[in-house]
């Protein structure tokens, strides 16, 4: 008995049929995490402390304000008598500060675009844009005054809550991390995570150590940065198939 042969084998089917099949396929995976429950849980876990601090700072809850003042005084008394340490902190905080991380984020998005990771490049640009937008809206809405000292170590500009340096250190280093992870294997992936967390947290801590932010400012900044990363990744998983069809990482090896 002779098997029936299709008049249009897969290789020679009409172009319209091949296009229809591609449209019916599920969205290919990219280089970002795609587990929606995990991303939603991370976003919620980061948003909760940010919103809590936002309410407490806005209502001027005295126990938090008192703790902030105590920590600010203790850090100032530690750093102010040591000009060399203070200068090193100033260098570090600007190396990984607001503008530096904005530039790193945009260059990372450009690098992803050149590598034909198109949807991931859009994610990176969206994340850095939203992080700055959320930070600016919160700063203007809360309008919290910065710490004041008779002999300041350095001077900060603008409202204090949340810390822009902390927000952008978390966001920028996160964007760089997830862009680089697919290129790393084994122990180097753990090294990349360690470096990312270390830089983000040390940059955040440099702000109250220099006397230009309250401790709650930096906690809120890091929380908002993590929320922005997780929330934009979650939105990325809902992109239609065509939006990720031409990402290099989405193509099957030939």
């Amino acid at each position: 008995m002779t098997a029936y042969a299709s008049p249009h084998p897969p290789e020679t089917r009409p172009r319209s049929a091949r296009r229809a099949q591609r449209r019916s396929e599920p969205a290919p995976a990219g280089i970002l995490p795609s587990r929606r429950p995990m991303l939603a849980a991370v976003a919620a876990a980061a948003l909760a402390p940010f919103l809590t601090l936002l309410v407490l700072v806005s209502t001027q809850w005295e126990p938090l304000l008192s703790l902030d003042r105590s920590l600010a005084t203790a850090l100032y008394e530690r750093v102010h008598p040591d000009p060399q340490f203070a200068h090193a902190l100033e260098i570090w905080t600007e190396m990984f500060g607001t503008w530096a991380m904005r530039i790193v984020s945009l260059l990372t998005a450009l690098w992803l675009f050149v590598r034909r990771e198109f949807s991931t490049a859009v994610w990176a640009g969206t994340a850095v844009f939203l992080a700055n937008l959320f930070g600016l809206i919160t700063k203007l809405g809360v309008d919290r005054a910065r710490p004041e000292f008779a002999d300041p170590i350095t001077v900060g500009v603008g409202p204090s809550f949340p810390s822009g340096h902390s927000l952008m250190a978390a966001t920028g280093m996160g964007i760089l991390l997830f862009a680089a992870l697919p290129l790393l294997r084994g122990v180097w992936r753990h090294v990349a995570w360690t470096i990312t967390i270390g830089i983000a947290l040390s940059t955040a801590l440099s702000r109250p150590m220099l006397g230009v932010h309250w401790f709650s400012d930096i906690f809120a900044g890091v929380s908002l940065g993590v929320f922005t990363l997780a929330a934009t990744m979650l939105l990325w998983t809902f992109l239609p198939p065509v939006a990720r069809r031409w990402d290099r990482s989405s193509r099957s090896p030939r």
Side-chain angles (χ1 to χ4, degrees):
M1 187 176 192
T2 305
Y4 175 76
S6 170
H8 296 295
E11 310 79 39
T12 60
R13 282 177 303 171
R15 185 178 302 174
S16 59
R18 295 199 299 271
R19 282 201 300 265
Q21 180 183 6
R22 283 198 298 267
R23 283 196 296 268
S24 66
E25 293 173 356
I31 67 175
L32 296 178
S34 56
R35 299 179 191 172
R36 291 174 183 170
M38 178 194 70
L39 292 172
V42 172
L47 183 61
F50 170 75
L51 292 179
T52 300
L53 288 171
L54 176 62
V55 171
L56 296 180
V57 170
S58 299
T59 57
Q60 298 188 0
W61 193 55
E62 184 54 33
L64 176 64
L65 302 185
S66 177
L67 177 61
D68 271 340
R69 288 192 294 267
S70 299
L71 290 172
T73 301
L75 290 172
Y76 175 82
E77 292 175 349
R78 165 63 184 88
V79 177
H80 184 266
D82 191 343
Q84 290 184 336
F85 182 44
H87 184 60
L89 284 174
E90 288 182 289
I91 294 174
W92 184 266
T93 200
E94 293 310 320
M95 281 178 57
F96 302 101
T98 306
W99 278 105
M101 286 294 98
R102 285 171 180 161
I103 294 170
V104 166
S105 299
L106 294 176
L107 288 178
T108 302
L110 178 61
W111 176 66
L112 288 166
F113 187 85
V114 170
R115 284 177 51 83
R116 294 187 293 177
E117 308 287 359
F118 300 126
S119 70
T120 315
V122 171
W123 162 77
T126 302
V128 68
F129 171 78
L130 289 179
N132 280 278
L133 180 63
F134 293 157
L136 178 61
I137 291 174
T138 308
K139 277 181 176 287
L140 295 178
V142 177
D143 196 24
R144 187 185 197 186
R146 292 176 182 265
E148 293 184 1
F149 299 98
D151 183 19
I153 300 170
T154 188
V155 177
V157 179
S160 188
F161 183 92
S163 164
H165 280 65
S166 305
L167 169 61
M168 286 313 303
T171 305
M173 290 304 300
I175 289 172
L176 184 59
L177 171 69
F178 285 102
L181 277 179
L183 306 178
L184 304 175
R185 294 293 181 271
V187 69
W188 291 108
R189 295 173 70 89
H190 299 290
V191 171
W193 273 100
T194 302
I195 291 174
T196 297
I197 294 172
I199 289 177
L201 292 182
S202 59
T203 303
L205 287 170
S206 70
R207 306 307 289 164
M209 294 180 77
L210 287 169
V212 291
H213 273 291
W214 307 104
F215 203 84
S216 56
D217 296 340
I218 67 167
F219 199 92
V222 172
S223 298
L224 183 57
V226 174
F227 165 75
T228 304
L229 290 172
T232 50
M233 285 182 193
L234 181 61
L235 291 175
W236 177 83
T237 67
F238 286 95
L239 288 176
V242 68
R244 284 186 269 159
R245 183 74 60 192
W246 301 108
D247 280 21
R248 189 183 69 162
S249 63
S250 300
R251 299 180 180 183
S252 301
R254 297 182 179 181

